[in-house]
C-alpha cells in the first residue's frame, strides 16, 4: 500500500524524533513521524528528566563548547515550548548542585567551575555547609563541597515529548503510531521512500531517531552506527509534599521530586543488551543509598519501578549529521544520558541540516568521523 508522500520521514517517536519533527514542521517542511509503539514509550518516557547546564558533561568540557551550547539551546526552547503549545511540561529552572565525595572529584568540579566562570556562566562554589544550606533535604557526611548552577533544572520528559509532537502536528506533521520502519529505499544515491508496516511513503529525506534501535535502522542503509543500549533502572515513590527543591547530582543514587511530589530515584548504567527488567538487588541498593542521603524519604511508599534503554555512543555524545550516503539521510542518534538536555537543540540542527541552512553550532563534535579519528589516535 502507498501512503501520501512526505518531504521527510522521521523514524522514531521519542523526544529526539518529536523535536526534529517540531523544528521541521515549524520551518514549513512536510514531515511524518513513524513510531512503532507510542510517543515517548521508550527512553524518553523512562528517564529522570534532569536538564543540567553544569554537571558531569562539564568535566569533559570545562571550557564550555558545543555540548554546553546544545543544552543551552534546548533549555531555552523549553521555556517557550509550554506556552507555544499550551502543555505544562513542568520545566523548572530550580538550580542544582553538583557535589563531590572525594578530593579528586572535588578538583574536577573545581576545574569545570573555573572554566564556566571564565566564560561568564553563573556557577557558585560551595563548601560542605554551603551544599547543606543549598539543599537542606540532602545530606551525606562524605560530601566535601561542590558547585551550584542556577540554570540547572528538571522537566517532565514524557510531557516534553508529547508537547514537541503536538507542536509538530499543529504545524501539519503527520504521526503514524504503532507503525514500524521496515526498509529505507534509495533511487541512485538518494533516499526515495520508507517502507513501513502501514505502507510505503515516498520521501526525499529520512531522520534516523530510533534511539537504542538506531543501529538496526542504520543497517537498513548499510550503516554500522556505534550506538548500543545501556539500561537504567529507576524507582518511583508515592507523592509527598515538596521537600526537595534543587537538583543534586554527583551523589548516587540521585533523587528528584516531581511537580506532583513523587520522588524519582535512579539510576544505573548497565550494558545488558535490550533487557529492561528491574532487579531486587538494585532496588535494595537504591533504598539504602537514598535513605542515607534524603532522610525525609523514610516511610514513603514505593509505587513503581522500571528500566529504560539509553542510546549510548562510545563517548556519550550524540551523532547529529547528514550521512555521507545515501543522500538525504540525517542521523540524530546516540544521545546517551542527556537526550532530554539535548532534544530541542538537536531538532533545530536536524532542521538546518535537512533544509541546507547554516547550522547554529559547529557540528564537528557531533559528527561520526570523530570515532575514526579517536581510533586512529589510539
Ligand atoms: C534511566 C534513565 C535516566 C535518564 N535520565 C536522563 C536525564 O535525567 N536527563 C537527560 O537528558 N537524559 C536522560 N536519559 C537519557 C534520555 O532518556 C535519552 O537520551 C533520550 O530519551 C533518547 O531519546 P530518543 O528519542 O533518541 O530515544 P527513544 O526515546 O528510545 O526513542 C526512540 C524511538 O524509536 C522507536 N523505534 C525504534 N525502532 C523503530 C522502527 N524500526 N520503526 C519505528 N520506530 C522505531 C522506539 O519505539 C522509540 O520510541 C536517561 C535515560 C534513562 C534510560
Amino acid at each position: 500500500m502507498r501512503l501520501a508522500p512526505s518531504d521527510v520521514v522521521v523514524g522514531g517517536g521519542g523526544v529526539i524524533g518529536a523535536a526534529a519533527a517540531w523544528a521541521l514542521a515549524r520551518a514549513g517542511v512536510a514531515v511524518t513521524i513513524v513510531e512503532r509503539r507510542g510517543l515517548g514509550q521508550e527512553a524518553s518516557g523512562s528517564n529522570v528528566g534532569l536538564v543540567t547546564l553544569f554537571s558531569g558533561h562539564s568535566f569533559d568540557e570545562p571550557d564550555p563548547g558545543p555540548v554546553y551550547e546544545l543544552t543551552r539551546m534546548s533549555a531555552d526552547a523549553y521555556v517557550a515550548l509550554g506556552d507555544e503549545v499550551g502543555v505544562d511540561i513542568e520545566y523548572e529552572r530550580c538550580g542544582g548542585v553538583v557535589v563531590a565525595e572525594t578530593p579528586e572529584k572535588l578538583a574536577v568540579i573545581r576545574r569545570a567551575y573555573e572554566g564556566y566562570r571564565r566564560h561568564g556562566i553563573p556557577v557558585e562554589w560551595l563548601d560542605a555547609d554551603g551544599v547543606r544550606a543549598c539543599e537542606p533535604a540532602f545530606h551525606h557526611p562524605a560530601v566535601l563541597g561542590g558547585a551550584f548552577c542556577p540554570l540547572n533544572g528538571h522537566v517532565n520528559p514524557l510531557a516534553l515529548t508529547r508537547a514537541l509532537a503536538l507542536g509538530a502536528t499543529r504545524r501539519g506533521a503527520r504521526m503514524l503510531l504503532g507503525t514500524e520502519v521496515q526498509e529505507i529505499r534509495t533511487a541512485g544515491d538518494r533516499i526515495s521512500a520508507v517502507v513501513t508496516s502501514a505502507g510505503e511513503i515516498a520521501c526525499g529525506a529520512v531522520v534516523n531517531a530510533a534511539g537504542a534501535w538506531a543501529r538496526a535502522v542504520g543497517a537498513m542503509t548499510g550503516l554500522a552506527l556505534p550506538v548500543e543500549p545501556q539500561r537504567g533502572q529507576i524507582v518511583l515513590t508515592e507523592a509527598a509534599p515538596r521537600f526537595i527543591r534543587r537538583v543534586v547530582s554527583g551523589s548516587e543514587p540521585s533523587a528528584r521530586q516531581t511537580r506532583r511530589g513523587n520522588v524519582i530515584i535512579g539510576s544505573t548504567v548497565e550494558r545488558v543488551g535490550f533487557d529492561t527488567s528491574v532487579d531486587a538487588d538494585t532496588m535494595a541498593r537504591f533504598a539504602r543509598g537514598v535513605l542515607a542521603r534524603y532522610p525525609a524519604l523514610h516511610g514513603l511508599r514505593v509505587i513503581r519501578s522500571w528500566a529504560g534503554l539509553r542510546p549510548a555512543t562510545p563517548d556519550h555524545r550524540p551523532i547529529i549529521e547528514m550521512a555521507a550516503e545515501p543522500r538525504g539521510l540525517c542521523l540524530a542518534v546516540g544521545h546517551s544520558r542527556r537526550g532530554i538536555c539535548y532534544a530541542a537543540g538537536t531538532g533545530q540542527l536536524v532542521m538546518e541540516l535537512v533544509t541546507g541552512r547554516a547550522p547554529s553550532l559547529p557540528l564537528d563534535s557531533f559528527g561520526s568521523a570523530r570515532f575514526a579519528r579517536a581510533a586512529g589516535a589510539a
Side-chain angles (χ1 to χ4, degrees):
M1 191 170 92
R2 280 183 195 278
L3 303 177
S6 192
D7 294 336
V8 181
V9 171
V10 177
V15 74
I16 300 301
W22 183 54
L24 285 162
R26 288 172 108 209
V29 176
V31 56
T32 302
I33 298 183
V34 180
E35 162 56 49
R36 71 174 168 202
R37 295 190 62 200
L39 279 175
Q41 293 303 294
E42 298 289 354
S44 301
S46 324
N47 63 77
V48 178
L50 302 184
V51 181
T52 47
L53 278 290
F54 183 87
S55 70
H57 68 285
S58 317
F59 310 155
D60 299 333
E61 197 185 59
D63 281 313
V67 167
Y68 172 83
E69 294 300 336
L70 189 62
T71 313
R72 185 78 206 228
M73 270 168 85
S74 304
D76 288 348
Y78 302 156
V79 175
L81 174 70
D83 291 343
E84 180 181 319
V85 295
V87 172
D88 182 6
I89 61 170
E90 299 171 28
Y91 178 46
E92 291 182 8
R93 250 180 206 180
C94 52
V97 55
V98 185
V99 301
E101 296 178 358
T102 63
E104 295 74 26
K105 186 70 179 293
L106 197 64
V108 170
I109 299 176
R110 181 82 200 185
R111 194 169 72 104
Y113 155 81
E114 283 167 1
Y116 272 52
R117 293 281 292 193
R118 265 199 307 279
H119 287 82
I121 297 164
V123 205
E124 290 164 32
W125 190 251
L126 303 174
D127 60 14
D129 288 342
V131 170
R132 187 107 202 234
C134 187
E135 178 46 81
F138 169 84
H139 176 63
H140 196 270
V143 168
L144 301 172
F148 172 75
C149 179
L151 303 175
N152 284 4
H154 55 124
V155 71
N156 177 331
L158 189 56
L160 170 65
T161 306
R162 288 185 177 151
L164 289 163
L166 183 62
T169 49
R170 291 235 182 98
R171 305 254 180 170
R174 175 173 52 165
M175 190 122 58
L176 301 178
L177 303 181
T179 306
E180 189 174 46
V181 172
Q182 296 177 329
E183 195 187 324
I184 298 173
R185 295 214 165 127
T186 52
D189 64 351
R190 279 211 70 93
I191 297 275
S192 60
V194 169
V195 179
T196 76
S197 51
E200 183 173 327
I201 307 168
C203 61
V206 168
V207 180
N208 180 346
W213 298 267
R215 186 187 280 265
V217 172
M220 295 177 193
T221 55
L223 285 182
L225 295 174
V227 179
E228 64 160 23
Q230 285 187 354
R231 180 171 73 180
Q233 299 185 43
I234 285 189
V235 168
L236 186 73
T237 74
E238 66 182 326
R242 195 74 177 265
F243 65 96
I244 305 175
R245 302 272 161 206
R246 310 282 198 198
V247 163
V248 180
S249 39
S251 183
E252 297 297 327
S254 71
R256 103 164 161 92
Q257 197 168 16
T258 65
R259 174 84 57 82
R260 288 185 195 164
N262 306 82
V263 181
I264 301 181
I265 301 160
S267 53
T268 53
V269 180
E270 302 164 89
R271 297 176 76 182
V272 291
F274 290 91
D275 177 358
T276 51
S277 57
V278 170
D279 66 82
D281 287 353
T282 300
M283 298 301 110
R285 188 161 51 79
F286 278 179
R288 280 194 302 275
V290 82
L291 289 172
R293 287 164 175 78
Y294 295 89
L297 271 162
H298 276 284
L300 271 191
R301 279 172 300 196
V302 167
I303 59 169
R304 251 186 91 199
S305 61
W306 68 83
L309 300 173
R310 300 178 187 84
T313 58
D315 62 2
H316 301 292
R317 289 187 179 194
I319 301 171
I320 308 168
E321 67 179 359
M322 294 307 288
E325 60 178 331
R327 284 165 59 207
L329 176 63
C330 183
L331 305 174
V333 301
H335 288 70
S336 300
R337 302 166 191 178
R338 293 182 54 83
I340 302 303
C341 297
Y342 298 155
T346 300
Q348 172 76 15
L349 292 174
V350 165
M351 181 278 286
E352 291 162 354
L353 286 166
V354 169
T355 58
R357 297 173 201 204
S360 304
L361 294 180
L363 287 173
D364 265 11
S365 317
F366 307 127
S368 56
R370 71 187 191 267
F371 300 114
R373 281 199 300 271

